[in-house]
Amino acid sequence: MQATNGCSVLSRSRIRLIGCSMAIALALSALCFASTASAAKPARKAYLAIGDSLAFGYSQQLFNENEATGENPEAFTHGYVDNYLNTLGNGVPLFNDGCPGETSDSMIGNGPLGTVMGEKLGTTGEAPCAYHYVDGLPLHNEYGENHSQLENALEVIKKQSTKTHAVETISFNIGANDELHQLHKCEAEVKHEFETEGKSKYGKTPEEAGKNCILSHIPSLFKHILTNIAGALYVIRQGSAFCVPAATSCSESKKGVNYTGKIVVQGGYTPFGAVFTPGVELLPGSNALAGLLNFEEAKTVAEFGACYANPQPRFNPAVVGEPAAEPGRLQAFTNMANFTEFAGKKNGPDIHPTPLGYEELANIMHADCG
């Protein structure tokens, strides 16, 4: 389009030519200033996710469907972490450390950091992330050098603290696999008792014995989970007291940094609630136990200035007096009623959320903690 009042129509005289040049110079200066101002806008701060398969975005169906591609992590980007990332704004860098199957012990690891934490904080560690180090499957964010998830988290926080994309938000979930391990231990123990002795010290029937076995281990199990969670949050907040990367000797230059930003701890739901019939839990008492752990966990994390997002009222509405709604919620939000197959492999029942369930977890986190 031809200009009607631009420099071209005013270029017949020297004065007008000089005026045109000055106008161009001023225009270029304005553009340069605008570009500089735009570049000077504060950089988006980073988001670090710590957790198990829920942070990773796992489901059995996704795993089955992507086995042929080597379980590319890009296929698992619809979990609560990715949904929560969308609430933080565009362009926020993400470090997703989530590891399927992670326990509170393996999150800490059995390296130098785990040893120091055990001595000072009473935590327990074990070999990190079997999904990656044993099964050889890829993670969203590789830890490197056989480090644990918590060790890597400290490294990310320190490394990013010297950059424009410093970590400003951390989400954290752990403990469900600790519970599953205890459940499987009780199942195996009770089965062995009935097969070898025809009875169990926990009860007259396998069902009664299984339930009582779990109940008898709840106090020690909950204490174990809460101790490890408190230890991990302490290390994150007091990173300068620990070596990063973890090592047997720790000079000042190798120490981490204290993290003072937002921490959102995601509580738990029970997939073993009333999936099919109102008031009939697949694992009797699971709602009450999940509620108890959530209550104690909320108190624990508050001591470290963390916000607690509790999904149980939405996933298990029986705990808030709406038992009729529970089957529908668990069927919509989890894969417990998923009876489909892929390539001859069952996609469920699976405790992990559906895409809708993952979205709901993120919505709860955003509503409760911003």
Side-chain angles (χ1 to χ4, degrees), residues 115-132:
T115 300
V116 172
M117 289 179 64
E119 294 172 350
K120 294 184 176 182
L121 305 175
T123 59
T124 305
E126 65 182 15
C129 194
Y131 180 87
H132 180 58

Side-chain angles (χ1 to χ4, degrees), residues 141-157:
N141 184 40
E142 300 291 346
Y143 308 156
E145 300 181 30
N146 207 40
H147 290 173
S148 71
Q149 186 172 171
L150 184 58
E151 287 171 335
N152 180 259
L154 295 182
E155 292 166 12
V156 169
I157 293 169

Side-chain angles (χ1 to χ4, degrees), residues 7 28 38 40 67 70 80 89 148 155 179 202 251 265 274 280 302 321 336 338 350:
C7 294
L28 290 175
S38 177
E67 190 171 13
Y80 82 75
S148 71
E155 292 166 12
E179 298 175 68
Y202 296 109
S251 62
V265 178
V280 182
M336 290 299 290
N338 185 347
D350 175 23

Side-chain angles (χ1 to χ4, degrees), residues 4-26:
T4 57
N5 60 348
C7 294
S8 58
V9 299
L10 300 175
S11 61
R12 293 183 180 181
S13 71
R14 182 178 178 82
I15 294 176
R16 287 178 177 175
L17 181 61
I18 293 174
C20 180
S21 299
M22 291 180 65
I24 291 174
L26 289 171

Side-chain angles (χ1 to χ4, degrees), residues 205-218:
T205 66
E207 293 75 18
E208 180 185 10
K211 177 182 177 180
N212 289 338
C213 176
I214 294 170
L215 291 175
S216 69
H217 289 89
I218 286 299

Side-chain angles (χ1 to χ4, degrees), residues 108 111-114 116-117 120 147-148 150-156 158 235-236 238-258:
I108 293 170
L113 177 64
V116 172
M117 289 179 64
K120 294 184 176 182
H147 290 173
S148 71
L150 184 58
E151 287 171 335
N152 180 259
L154 295 182
E155 292 166 12
V156 169
K158 180 179 181 180
V235 168
I236 291 170
Q238 305 296 326
S240 62
F242 299 88
C243 196
V244 179
T248 52
S249 61
C250 190
S251 62
E252 286 297 322
S253 63
K254 291 184 177 180
K255 289 183 178 179
V257 296
N258 296 345

Side-chain angles (χ1 to χ4, degrees), residues 218-236:
I218 286 299
S220 59
L221 173 64
F222 283 9
K223 180 180 179 181
H224 178 87
I225 294 172
L226 294 173
T227 298
N228 281 353
I229 288 176
L233 293 178
Y234 178 86
V235 168
I236 291 170

Side-chain angles (χ1 to χ4, degrees), residues 11 22 70 80-81 97 124 151 158 162 195 201 210 216 225 233 235 258 265 275 308 314 329 333 341 354 361:
S11 61
M22 291 180 65
Y80 82 75
V81 167
D97 274 2
T124 305
E151 287 171 335
K158 180 179 181 180
T162 62
E195 288 179 347
K201 60 179 175 287
S216 69
I225 294 172
L233 293 178
V235 168
N258 296 345
V265 178
V275 178
Y308 196 70
R314 283 289 293 161
R329 296 277 181 84
F333 293 160
E341 294 186 2
T354 59
L361 289 177

